[in-house]
């Protein structure tokens, strides 16, 4: 499964560089001491938050993710899902009480992408005007392997 994760301030600060989590007293042993962290808003009971919670629960460690900066309308990074937790720690310490209580680490993060949405939409066979709004799961019937290859080409990681 692949995920598209729209990110905007204040979440960018915990993605751009690893955060020191040694002060997080409720940190479980599977959550690293230093990590890039993103959150999903799941705190209310409207349809978007319910979907977000279902998606967050179905995320598995190692699932690839594509980061979309909604404030600049660009795909800017690629990585994988790491450890997950339910906590208010990041929301209070880093995200100005934005309401993101379902969190996950981002492993193997590469911020070398700079892609227009239309480029990704073309590969995934989405409508040209599609813009991710909220956590999105890329359907298994989409050409995910083609997208992974396309991302590797754009990150100069293709080996022959």
């Amino acid at each position: 499964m692949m995920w598209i994760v729209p990110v905007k301030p204040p979440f960018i600060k915990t993605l751009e560089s690893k955060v020191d989590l040694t002060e997080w007293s409720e940190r479980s042993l599977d959550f690293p001491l230093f990590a890039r962290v993103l959150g999903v808003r799941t705190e209310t009971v409207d349809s978007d938050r319910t979907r977000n919670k279902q998606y967050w629960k179905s995320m598995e460690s190692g699932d690839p993710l594509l980061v979309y900066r909604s404030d600049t309308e660009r795909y800017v990074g690629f990585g994988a899902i790491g450890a997950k937790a339910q906590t208010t720690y990041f929301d209070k310490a880093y995200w100005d009480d934005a309401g993101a209580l379902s969190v996950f680490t981002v492993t193997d993060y590469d911020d070398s992408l700079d892609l227009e949405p239309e480029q990704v939409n073309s590969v995934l066979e989405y409508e040209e005007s599609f813009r991710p709004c909220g956590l999105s799961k890329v359907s298994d019937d989409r050409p995910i392997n083609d997208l992974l290859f396309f991302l590797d080409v754009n990150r100069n990681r293709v080996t022959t």
Side-chain angles (χ1 to χ4, degrees):
M1 187 153 322
M2 180 175 212
W3 302 96
I4 296 176
V5 184
V7 179
K8 61 183 175 183
F11 300 98
I12 294 165
K13 59 183 155 188
T14 58
L15 176 65
E16 287 180 334
S17 59
K18 292 182 178 183
V19 249
D20 180 347
L21 303 176
T22 56
E23 298 296 319
W24 181 21
S25 61
E26 298 170 10
R27 184 185 62 80
S28 66
L29 294 177
D30 65 335
F31 219 89
L33 289 172
F34 297 88
R36 297 173 193 273
V37 181
L38 287 176
V40 179
R41 292 182 173 129
T42 57
E43 77 291 351
T44 59
V45 187
D46 63 26
S47 61
D48 286 340
R49 305 300 194 245
T50 300
R51 185 197 68 198
N52 281 353
K53 188 157 201 126
Q54 290 170 343
Y55 281 175
W56 180 83
K57 284 181 178 180
S58 67
M59 289 176 152
E60 293 184 13
S61 182
D63 284 351
L65 63 85
L66 186 58
V67 175
Y68 176 76
R69 286 278 306 257
S70 23
D71 57 333
T72 62
E73 294 194 3
R74 307 289 287 180
Y75 284 94
V76 298
F78 180 80
I81 303 294
K84 298 189 314 184
Q86 287 283 120
T87 182
T88 59
Y89 176 77
F90 296 95
D91 204 45
K92 295 190 180 314
Y94 296 100
W95 300 330
D96 307 322
D97 291 317
L101 309 181
S102 302
V103 303
F104 57 93
T105 61
V106 177
T107 62
D108 304 320
Y109 187 62
D110 181 335
D111 64 356
S112 65
L113 291 181
D114 184 21
L115 301 172
E116 295 178 359
E118 294 82 6
Q119 294 173 283
V120 173
N121 294 347
S122 175
V123 176
L124 286 177
E125 301 170 357
Y126 286 165
E127 295 281 327
E128 185 177 321
S129 61
F130 171 75
R131 298 297 183 272
C133 182
L135 179 63
S136 300
K137 175 174 58 170
V138 178
S139 176
D140 290 335
D141 65 350
R142 298 292 175 168
I144 295 172
N145 286 333
D146 291 351
L147 180 62
L148 293 172
F149 180 77
F150 174 76
L151 296 175
D152 281 345
V153 167
N154 281 277
R155 296 181 308 148
N156 295 318
R157 298 213 173 167
V158 174
T159 55
T160 55

